[in-house]
Amino acid sequence: MAATATTIDPTPPSKAPLNISRDAITYHPWDPQQEPLQLSQIRKLISKDLSEPYSIYVYRYFLYQWGDLCYIAMHEGKFVGCVVSKLEPHRNVALRGYIAMLAVEEEYRGLGIASKLVRMAIDAMIEKDADEVALETEISNTAAIKLYERLGFLRSKRLHRYYLNGSSAFRLILYLKNHLPPEERGILEDAGCCGGHDGHSHDHAEHERSEQPHDAHMIG
Amino acid sequence: MNDTTNGLYNLLLWLWSTWSNLLRLGSQNGTGLFSNWGGGGGVRRGSNGGNGVQPKVKDITERFLEAARELKTGELVQDPNFTLLEAVGALEIMDPKMDSGLMEQDAFENYDVLAPRLPEEIIGILDQLLSHEVAWHTGSALSQTLFTSLYLDRLLSPAPSSLAEAGFGKLMHGQQIRTFEEGLLHKILRSYCIGLVKCVHHVNLQIQLENLRTMKDAQHSSHCIYEEEDIVLQTYNVALLERIPSSEALSLLTETIEWLKHIKTEIEPQIYEALFARLKFRRNFLAALATPLDNYADDKVPTAAWTDAQDALQVIKETHKLGKEVPEACTIVVQRKLASTVPPRPMVEYAFEEAVATLERMLKRNLEALKVLEYRGGADLYNYFIHFMAQNPQPLPYTRSLLRGLAFNKGQFLGKVPVKDVVLSDINELIFPREIVFDPKHKEVEMPAHPSFKINQVTEWYLLRASSLYCQLFTDQAMNRSRFRRNLCHSIIEWDNFQVEAEECDANLADLTNETPLSKDQSYSYVLSSWVYLYKLRLLEWVVFLGFELEIYQPYEYSGMFWLAQFYARARLSHLVRISEFSKVRTPPSGLSREEAQDWQKRKLLNIALLNYHMLDARAIEALSSASMSLYSVLTHLRLIPLPYANSYASDELRYELRMKPFQQVVSPQIEPFPRAPEECFRPGTFRDEFACEEDFTEWVEQKLEEAKVAVSYCRLDYNELCKMEGMVGMGLAGDEIKANYKLLLRSCVGMSLAVMALQMAMKKGEVAKCEVRIDAEKYHPFFPVPVVSTKK
Ligand SMILES: CC(C)(COP(=O)(O)OP(=O)(O)OC[C@H]1O[C@@H](n2cnc3c(N)ncnc32)[C@H](O)[C@@H]1OP(=O)(O)O)[C@@H](O)C(=O)NCCC(=O)NCCS
């Protein structure tokens, strides 16, 4: 795991949820064999918090191609949370994981379920050699922002009126690896530090375009 | 769901979204096809449906089912071109949440637009329309705002091609209106609605035109005023009375106003006043919006129309209470009819009071935007744009496109000055280069071997490239703030590259003009690249500071980002010092007449004054950033602001790399790699542990607070001085805004100084543990959020 424990954890504010023991929650990778049952449950869970429903195709788009990056939380046979993600090369420079959907059943929130699910997804991405993880979240979604920031994500940009309901988003990014070559990280002291020019000529236009249009907005 | 239906489902979805795309591309026949799908309840009607085009229908059900039987549940037949975007765009037919065809029609069918309405109800309807219009201006779709109005729906379908055809039915244009009651509907409401639709049309057109222009100018397509994210230009194939000239709509409004005046005695005075103001507002608003920007350059500026609209709006505000709401007159069921590929969306509720406030602001700013026509030089323009666009709330998309469109149009500034000349005036004001560099006489030389010819070649190339980046900068400023920052991140790379090229030009010029180096260190002036570097440094500072404004940083990152800010401000300060060293020793060229020599002296003095002013500004920003850096660093290590969590996937180094990405790519000034970056700023969790003992740490804290105190006191002096500045070059258009901005910076400065004092006190008393810190970004300058320190009770 890439987590480097360099920072200090102040005691997290602990909420006292229902009488649910954390140990009674079980976590499972997505099982394609169970699709008829699980898909409808995932859909139900996710769409509760959406202003507009996604077509079934959106779910299949992820589950069919990256089912191994999706995890489910269960409690006594009940479906209580899930994370849906993907992993693809980003602009040919980085292998980028993307958390597309995350939700936990209302009564089960505050138990660390979402954190655990996201960790499982990120760990699976690390297994597959991901360089970074990205997602978007509504700027007013404090619960989600806090959750991701606790895991190490930084806000990298703000996206104006990103969602169809008119609210803006933050793009959150987590680097899992160094992106710069050693000489630009100041590791080889004498390697001259003017490589900036050719080193990173990304296609900016391409990049910006990929942020739009509106219709592809996921809730991470 | 059994396997067959499941597979069928997939295929259906695929087909559906393919059609949706066709539709999105504006295929008119595509809309016709829908009427044959979706079974009984889900009939979709495009706006052109039933226009006589008979779609060909081929029954594929059997083939479809057959193919579907082959699929297992969950199996996906995916076309490589079918992207996530399309998956998200797909709708499920017969799902009530996605299929707008399933909406109840009752509301739609039961409302009688021809039913007589009370005057109070007409006022209510007009005010509802106004709220919807403002909601649209602020980014909501027409389908959720104006197009929900059943009056507009009746007016616009089927698309009327002349004024006579545009009405609600029965009584049409030209027919006798006998009573006030009839006139309320067929004159007042009708002409208001026609005027309103024309207003929407003109705003739409103006922004589209701007988009096209900026796209043409720009090197990247990302540089344009984004529709959708700022304003939704989509009209769902509904024609916005394009075929009716605005002049006719204006005459109609005038006619109606005259008619109203004519029957004034029959109407209750208050009602009269209310109706009159609404018509007057609409007429003036339309008159202003319909004035082509090209006319502005010929002094046909619609100032009076904007101010008359302002006056009328005041009366609208005061008489709103007379109105009686008619909520049934708007329904989202209209969305059934719209050629749209999105699920039903709720109506946007925009409160009338808020709508009026937004509109008042818009009118005021549209008037302010006209100030640009009084342009007095590069520095002026630059300051004016910055302050105009930085207003909070930001000016509406229309206003921003108006200002940008007025300023930069077809490669000309204000429709008359080539942008190149504006850049040149800016260079002259800021850098005061030797006359020989931009001497217009060079152009007259036609011998390629002649130095003049070569000099001209170099400067022409430079000015061309500079103009394009310069234009870009103003276009970027016209974006919403989030996109502005993102575009700047790209622009700095371009300015950085340009600087390298400009340095080559400078070296060439030094040669071609036999420049004598400065005696002190034998360096050359590098005027061309100097200008580029100055702009680049400004942009770099902006990127850092806009991050604060947009709340992109977490508090524990503040000290690091202020470190970066002071780093760039310091670079700007020393660059300005360098420029002024060259400027100060300049002597007038030989052979000037007495008058010319006086003029030359005056320009030199203005340049030095301008440079001094910029140096003061840079020094103040540097000091305030340094103070903030020290202060936030202390707060972090005293654990008074939340630290990053330990058990995370991130590390200080990876965080640094991610945060510095936009800056890391810039060649000069180059930022330090992580190992050499200041630890107190970039190692929030561990820096404190490096101290051998608590006393050392305390000493460090006290020293940092002292540093902050000193820096803050210096910049307080600077800002006091800057607030008093009068008549400076560049303060012509935005003098008041510049001062207001310095006052806000001064306030942040005072806030920081209070925090420093509170902490020093707490340290002295050993009561740091009792301190609480709240970060206030509201009351202070958006670039400098202030920590408010208090003691826990
Ligand atoms: C966001 C969401 C998934 C969090 O699920 P969860 O299981 O409650 O999250 P966790 O228990 O793992 O919380 C982890 C941390 O996030 C923060 N957090 C969670 N809920 C919070 C809330 N309501 N307010 C503030 N912080 C909150 C806390 O710091 C929490 O740690 P703590 O409980 O130790 O203090 C859940 O609220 C949800 O389903 N929301 C609706 C859908 C959604 O918004 N999805 C994410 C879109 S990007």
Side-chain angles (χ1 to χ4, degrees), chain B residues 289-347:
Chain B
L289 292 174
T291 310
L293 295 200
D294 292 342
N295 288 16
Y296 286 58
D298 308 330
D299 290 333
K300 292 200 195 88
V301 184
T303 315
W306 288 125
T307 48
D308 286 351
Q310 275 182 322
D311 295 344
L313 189 59
Q314 286 314 304
V315 183
I316 293 179
K317 192 159 99 178
E318 287 153 21
T319 52
H320 173 66
K321 55 184 182 302
L322 299 177
K324 188 162 171 282
E325 284 178 28
V326 187
E328 325 77 87
C330 291
T331 166
I332 57 159
V333 178
V334 176
Q335 290 176 6
R336 278 178 65 103
K337 293 176 58 179
L338 300 175
S340 136
T341 56
V342 295
R345 300 245 163 91
M347 197 169 342

Side-chain angles (χ1 to χ4, degrees), chain A residues 41-142:
Chain A
Q41 302 222 51
I42 290 190
R43 253 188 117 174
K44 218 169 86 202
L45 189 65
I46 301 274
S47 57
K48 265 189 203 163
D49 297 295
L50 288 176
S51 58
E52 263 172 41
Y54 292 137
S55 73
I56 193 162
Y57 220 102
V58 176
Y59 297 91
R60 292 225 162 107
Y61 177 87
F62 288 104
L63 294 172
Y64 183 74
Q65 301 182 79
W66 297 281
D68 50 354
L69 296 177
C70 298
Y71 292 89
I72 289 159
M74 313 271 291
H75 179 245
E76 294 172 353
K78 196 176 147 205
F79 202 91
V80 296
C82 70
V83 62
V84 175
S85 20
K86 67 169 179 168
L87 181 67
E88 274 182 312
H90 176 66
R91 290 190 276 150
N92 296 326
V93 290
L95 189 58
R96 177 183 270 197
Y98 180 75
I99 296 180
M101 306 175 201
L102 169 71
V104 169
E105 193 75 60
E106 187 119 31
E107 311 88 82
Y108 289 83
R109 292 188 188 164
L111 283 171
I113 296 177
S115 306
K116 172 78 181 162
L117 286 168
V118 174
R119 277 184 180 275
M120 291 173 85
I122 295 177
D123 291 343
M125 292 172 188
I126 291 171
E127 269 306 284
K128 293 177 186 295
D129 212 26
D131 294 299
E132 60 191 43
V133 188
L135 59 99
E136 291 92 30
T137 179
E138 216 171 313
I139 57 170
S140 57
N141 192 346
T142 4

